[in-house]
Amino acid sequence: GASAMPLHDFACAGAAAGVATAFGAPLGGVLFAAEELGSVRPLGGRTLLYAFMAAMSASTAVKHIDLNGANRLTLFALAKPTMEWRAWEMGAFLTIGVLSGLIGVAFVKVNLWCTSKRRACQEVGRLWLM
C-alpha cells in the first residue's frame, strides 16, 4: 500500500508553494522551505521533490489563472519611479542608517547585560527580575 506522507513534508511543500506564489519565485520558495524547515529536521530528497513540484505547480497556476490580466507570476507590481533621488535626501538616509546602527548597538549591549544578570541570578538560585 501507499505510505502516508509525513506532516513535515506537507509543511515544506506548502511553504515552498506559498513563497513561490507570493513572490513569483519557485526556486526561491524551495530554498526558503529547505532553509527554514531544514533547520528543524533533516529534509530528504523526496521532501525537496515535493516542495519543488508544489512551488512549480503554484507558480504555473497563478500565471495561467491571470487574475490581474498582466500574464505575470506575481499578483503585484511596483510602480515605476517618476523621478530620481535628490542629493539632499542622502543626508536623511545617512542619518537613518547611523541612528539604526546605534539603536542596534544599544540593543545588543542591553541584551548582553540582561543575559549576564540572568546567569548570575541562576547561579545563586534566584529568578531574574524577581
Side-chain angles (χ1 to χ4, degrees):
S3 62
M5 185 173 166
L7 288 179
H8 65 272
D9 286 359
F10 276 119
C12 186
V19 171
T21 303
F23 298 105
L27 189 55
V30 174
L31 292 175
F32 171 79
E35 178 184 353
E36 291 301 315
L37 299 174
S39 65
V40 177
R41 67 175 56 217
L43 298 177
R46 184 180 71 173
T47 304
L48 292 176
L49 181 62
Y50 290 155
F52 185 74
M53 290 182 347
M56 291 302 294
S57 299
S59 294
T60 303
V62 166
K63 184 168 173 45
H64 288 293
I65 291 173
D66 200 16
L67 292 174
N68 59 0
N71 196 23
R72 297 171 44 150
L73 281 179
T74 57
L75 299 176
F76 60 89
L78 298 175
K80 301 271 187 225
T82 56
M83 64 180 151
E84 295 292 322
W85 57 274
R86 296 191 173 96
W88 66 267
E89 294 172 331
M90 287 305 290
F93 298 146
L94 182 64
T95 302
I96 290 170
V98 169
L99 288 176
S100 298
L102 291 174
I103 290 170
V105 167
F107 177 80
V108 168
K109 295 225 182 248
V110 168
N111 194 6
L112 290 172
W113 179 80
C114 288
T115 301
S116 68
K117 290 293 182 188
R118 182 183 52 83
R119 285 184 180 158
C121 288
Q122 265 182 334
E123 287 176 3
V124 294
R126 290 185 12 217
L127 293 176
W128 165 241
L129 289 178
M130 292 188 170

